[in-house]
Amino acid sequence: MTSVPTAGWICAIVACLNATAWSFVTPPFQVSDEPSHFAYVKQFADTGHLPSSSSEVFSTEEILILSDLHYDEIREQPNHQSISSNAAVQKLQSDLKQTEESRGGSRAAAVATGEPPLYYALESIPYDLASKSNLLTRLQLMRLLSALMCGVTGLFVFLFIREVLPQTSWAWIVGGLSIALTPLLGFASGAVNPEVMIYTISAALFYCFAKAFRGGLTPKLAIAIGAVTALGFLTKLSFVGLAPGMLIGLVYLTYRDAQTSRRMAYRCFALATSIAVAPVVVYVLLNAIASQPLGGAIANAANASVNRSIPGEIDYIWQFYLPRLPGMPHDFPGIFTTRQLWFNAYIGLYGWLDTTFPSWVYDVALIPAGAIAFLCLRALVVNRAALRRRLPELAVYGCLSVGVMAIVGAASYAQFPAIDAEYRQARYMLPLVPLLGLVCALAARGAGRRWGPVAGAMLVLLVFAHDIFSQLLVISRYYA
Amino acid sequence: MRIPITLATGLALIAIAIGVTLTRSPARLAGANGATRENLLLETTTAVDVCQPNEVLPRDTSAVRLSMEAITGPKLTAEVLAGPRLVTDGELGSGWIGKVVTIPVRQTASTIRGATVCLAVAPQDETVSLIGEKTPQPLAALRDGTPLPGRMQIEYLRPGDRSWWSRIASVVQHMGQGRAWSGTWIGLLLALLMGAAATLAFRQMARDLR
């Protein structure tokens, strides 16, 4: 990494501060799946073993505290708020004190069971640091580690934009801060969830590729790409969605650089891929030793859709994101998925997907979104010659994006039609925040040399306002 | 100078917008029909009309809240009738998610007793569930004229009478409860965190966007 300008560190710090704020705004366990991820860490930290059951029978300590927090009454029911009565608060404090020294996990970690252990191993550090404190203190410290990871995400997004738009230094901070202050990223990163680390890893991967497209695939970059990919495989199964794009990018860079030095290019390719697949090889070997299916959880997930129709799955995944094309079945009758599932969710869907703005907010949000899209498009059209030269690079970013979207769509298809869109959460698209940051930077550029910086300032102000009002919305939902 | 002016103006507008928003008041519970949400009354993947008689619609009702579950909910239309007369109506667009839906309706001028609340569920693929309480048939909600196993849980909301400004102290106090480190200091911490983020961000922007 060449020296990082101050603006890059500012983006990192702002992202971290924002996620930290969100970690205090959102009540404990009122983020999707946080109880499951906490249970995984608790089992790992307290017993040294990984969870093995997908039931929700968590440890006694966690179940007690969830009950004291009225977790089941609050979750998904915006008519119920977080506890506030003296009796409830006192019971919680009493139980927290009594269970301070109690340890012991549970084999059950619900949806988190089966996920790779790296994130949870890292989260066991703050968990152990607060080992003499109560459960909620441990949770809060774990949330702060997630917020720290968000800071690193902010840094890599800035660096990615710097590599892609080297001539427009003033636009780097526009893109970086637009992501650092994005409320959805702050909300998701203010919780215990391995997705947070995937955002960081994905941003690092985008940065590595941008650097490789600028200056060639060097051995250092090959090692970095391989290491980042390996970390991704060790963090969350859904990282598999990024793997095809990563491989395509490597293949292209190798082919391009082989024109100059074939030996170096192939060496870099071998370096990157061997490091990247190392965790996968170990995983397969461990399954073989334990007489389990070699593909493990991934094979199980793939088998779940083996009897489904491939054309039907493609139709579904297309409509999961985009309007239906003529000839396709109506998989989402009456729903404009691009807007209702994704755009609206990005604008505001918090808590356990139960906290929303009034509907007019989503209508009004279309105006600035349209303006940003227009300006971004203008920037691309004005610079179309440069765009043409960089088509392979854009294609790689496109492949990374399609991979992320395909894996989420396929997971949802496994539940279809019983559930139309099981994984319709915008946070699953946050591995693509580097591209969103790039869109914001391009939108500012699209306003021209004279007004570009002003447009950039207005864009960041808009994101900041979005962030503040989102926090106020969540505060009003849980604490009013 | 354009950038500092833009930033200063933008931050001032945000502060004003926050101030104006806080002059409004949160919706309050005006009434409820007392039904619990313990029983599954209906699961449907098709369009359906459900009507529930013998409801009391409080004065100033501006929204009705129902216990329904879906991941990608269909469009919902609510109508409240007093006999044959339509008292109020409203709709919620498709794509909602959760276990409770709130349908905004035109605000009512007076309390209506013996009202009938009707809900129209648009066609969809996914299963939509209606949750309520088991009751004898004469008290039950009706699906296309046929009694369901019980009554829907319905709550009626009206605009509150206390602004968010007047509730700041209680909200901050509430925020400090039920978490690791209790206390009202949490409001100050939040303000400091976001203030620091904003200061760092906009100061750097003023330098870079020249």
Side-chain angles (χ1 to χ4, degrees):
Chain A
M1 209 157 42
T2 51
S3 68
V4 178
T6 305
W9 294 117
I10 295 294
C11 289
I13 294 169
V14 169
C16 184
L17 287 173
N18 191 34
T20 302
W22 275 100
S23 78
F24 285 101
V25 166
T26 313
F29 302 114
Q30 290 300 322
V31 182
S32 290
D33 303 330
E34 192 172 44
S36 305
H37 299 303
F38 180 86
Y40 192 129
V41 177
K42 193 173 195 320
Q43 165 72 357
F44 184 73
D46 285 349
T47 70
H49 295 112
L50 299 180
S52 55
S53 162
S54 56
S55 86
E56 288 192 7
V57 182
F58 304 137
S59 64
T60 309
E61 185 188 10
E62 186 173 349
I63 288 177
L64 177 64
I65 301 307
L66 285 173
S67 171
D68 287 349
L69 290 170
H70 296 187
Y71 161 77
D72 277 324
E73 287 94 48
I74 298 171
R75 169 188 157 175
E76 296 177 312
Q77 297 178 74
N79 47 327
H80 293 156
Q81 300 180 322
S82 67
I83 61 169
S84 62
S85 70
N86 284 338
V89 170
Q90 278 170 17
K91 180 161 192 324
L92 172 67
Q93 294 300 334
S94 166
D95 287 337
L96 283 174
K97 190 125 186 75
Q98 278 185 7
T99 55
E100 256 176 20
E101 301 292 329
S102 80
R103 288 298 176 268
S106 161
R107 292 186 310 116
V111 297
T113 303
E115 291 288 0
L118 179 59
Y119 171 80
Y120 302 104
L122 290 172
E123 284 285 12
S124 67
I125 298 171
Y127 182 96
D128 283 336
L129 280 174
S131 60
K132 298 218 182 318
S133 304
N134 62 54
L135 185 144
L136 291 184
T137 300
R138 284 174 259 147
L139 176 70
Q140 184 61 50
L141 284 184
M142 290 157 70
R143 281 183 166 190
L144 292 180
L145 177 60
S146 289
L148 204 61
M149 291 180 186
C150 185
V152 180
T153 302
L155 176 62
F156 276 123
V157 169
F158 176 90
L159 294 174
F160 167 74
I161 297 170
R162 184 176 74 159
E163 291 298 322
V164 177
L165 300 176
Q167 310 297 331
T168 325
S169 57
W170 61 265
W172 305 342
I173 194 160
V174 172
L177 286 178
S178 298
I179 297 310
L181 290 168
T182 291
L184 182 62
L185 182 65
F187 163 71
S189 301
V192 177
N193 194 319
E195 286 279 329
V196 180
M197 194 161 160
I198 288 294
Y199 308 153
T200 309
I201 288 169
S202 175
L205 194 63
F206 272 93
Y207 166 62
C208 288
F209 271 112
K211 216 162 156 52
F213 274 102
R214 283 294 74 64
L217 184 61
T218 62
K220 265 191 190 170
L221 266 178
I223 291 171
I225 289 174
V228 164
T229 305
L231 288 175
F233 283 131
L234 290 169
T235 300
K236 201 163 192 276
L237 289 174
S238 61
F239 182 81
V240 160
L242 282 162
M246 187 278 293
L247 187 61
I248 289 169
L250 274 180
V251 166
Y252 174 78
L253 286 167
T254 303
Y255 163 77
R256 185 191 74 171
D257 292 355
Q259 319 293 318
T260 314
S261 168
R262 188 174 294 183
R263 189 177 167 142
M264 176 63 80
Y266 290 156
R267 183 173 158 235
C268 290
F269 180 83
L271 258 177
T273 48
S274 56
I275 295 171
V277 302
V280 178
V281 169
V282 169
Y283 183 63
V284 168
L285 284 173
L286 286 174
N287 282 327
I289 291 168
S291 304
Q292 298 285 331
L294 293 184
I298 296 177
N300 290 340
N303 285 337
S305 54
V306 77
N307 292 324
R308 311 295 288 271
S309 140
I310 301 278
E313 185 162 5
I314 294 172
D315 284 343
Y316 173 86
I317 293 174
W318 177 277
Q319 293 179 69
F320 193 56
Y321 299 103
L322 297 169
R324 178 184 152 270
L325 296 176
M328 284 183 172
H330 287 269
D331 288 342
F332 295 92
I335 293 176
F336 179 18
T337 53
T338 312
R339 187 185 162 187
Q340 288 174 272
L341 297 195
W342 301 107
F343 177 76
N344 287 0
Y346 172 79
I347 295 300
L349 186 61
Y350 304 109
W352 273 88
L353 310 182
D354 58 14
T355 306
T356 58
F357 286 112
S359 54
W360 64 265
V361 172
Y362 303 96
D363 294 336
V364 168
L366 289 170
I367 299 171
I372 291 168
F374 170 76
L375 288 174
C376 177
L377 201 59
R378 185 173 182 274
L380 293 173
V381 168
V382 166
N383 295 283
R384 57 189 175 277
L387 198 66
R388 266 195 292 269
R389 287 194 296 274
R390 297 169 69 169
L391 273 178
E393 182 182 359
L394 293 175
V396 169
Y397 301 149
C399 288
L400 288 165
S401 306
V402 167
V404 169
M405 295 164 77
I407 201 90
V408 175
S412 277
Y413 183 66
Q415 310 294 329
F416 182 77
I419 300 174
D420 265 1
E422 168 79 20
Y423 295 97
R424 54 163 285 186
Q425 299 186 41
R427 64 186 170 103
Y428 293 131
M429 297 297 120
L430 287 179
L432 306 179
V433 280
L435 296 180
L436 179 60
L438 183 61
V439 165
C440 293
L442 283 171
R445 242 175 77 153
R449 282 178 195 270
R450 185 173 148 86
W451 293 105
V454 173
M458 289 172 66
L459 201 156
V460 176
L461 282 164
L462 181 69
V463 176
F464 178 65
H466 183 199
D467 192 29
I468 294 295
F469 277 96
S470 293
Q471 291 183 15
L472 290 176
L473 171 71
V474 174
I475 289 171
S476 72
R477 181 259 184 266
Y478 287 107
Y479 309 110
Chain B
M1 272 311 283
R2 271 193 295 230
I3 300 304
I5 290 172
T6 303
L7 291 175
T9 306
L11 288 170
L13 285 173
I14 290 171
I16 291 169
I18 293 172
V20 168
T21 301
L22 295 182
T23 60
R24 307 190 63 167
S25 52
R28 309 306 296 164
L29 190 64
N33 65 0
T36 58
R37 50 167 289 129
E38 288 169 355
N39 302 105
L40 176 65
L41 301 182
L42 174 70
E43 275 187 336
T44 179
T45 56
T46 59
V48 71
D49 289 325
V50 176
C51 286
Q52 184 155 296
N54 300 317
E55 287 289 319
V56 177
L57 183 74
R59 180 171 61 93
D60 294 333
T61 294
S62 58
V64 293
R65 191 156 61 195
L66 301 137
S67 291
M68 297 183 71
E69 290 188 29
I71 302 283
T72 315
K75 178 179 166 183
L76 301 173
T77 307
E79 290 182 342
V80 183
L81 304 156
R85 181 172 65 95
L86 179 68
V87 175
T88 185
D89 59 355
E91 67 180 35
L92 180 69
S94 57
W96 56 271
I97 178 174
K99 293 181 178 176
V100 173
V101 289
T102 302
I103 306 174
V105 297
R106 289 179 290 114
Q107 194 163 340
T108 57
S110 55
T111 300
I112 308 286
R113 297 183 192 282
T116 299
V117 175
C118 289
L119 177 71
V121 180
Q124 73 289 335
D125 274 347
E126 182 176 314
T127 304
V128 176
S129 305
L130 198 61
I131 313 292
E133 179 181 1
K134 270 203 173 133
T135 64
Q137 270 196 9
L139 301 174
L142 303 167
R143 173 192 179 169
D144 301 324
T146 306
L148 291 176
R151 287 179 76 74
M152 295 185 283
Q153 183 192 58
I154 304 179
E155 293 175 324
Y156 302 95
L157 307 178
R158 63 169 165 77
D161 43 23
R162 282 182 62 205
S163 72
W164 284 108
W165 279 117
S166 67
R167 302 166 63 88
I168 281 183
S170 64
V171 168
V172 171
Q173 187 178 17
H174 191 171
M175 285 182 74
Q177 294 165 329
R179 56 177 67 246
W181 311 306
S182 301
T184 53
W185 56 267
I186 208 159
L188 183 62
L189 174 66
L190 273 176
L192 284 173
L193 286 167
M194 293 311 296
T199 302
L200 287 170
F202 296 121
R203 202 167 64 175
Q204 190 64 37
M205 279 181 62
R207 284 190 195 135
D208 286 6
L209 296 183
R210 269 183 264 115

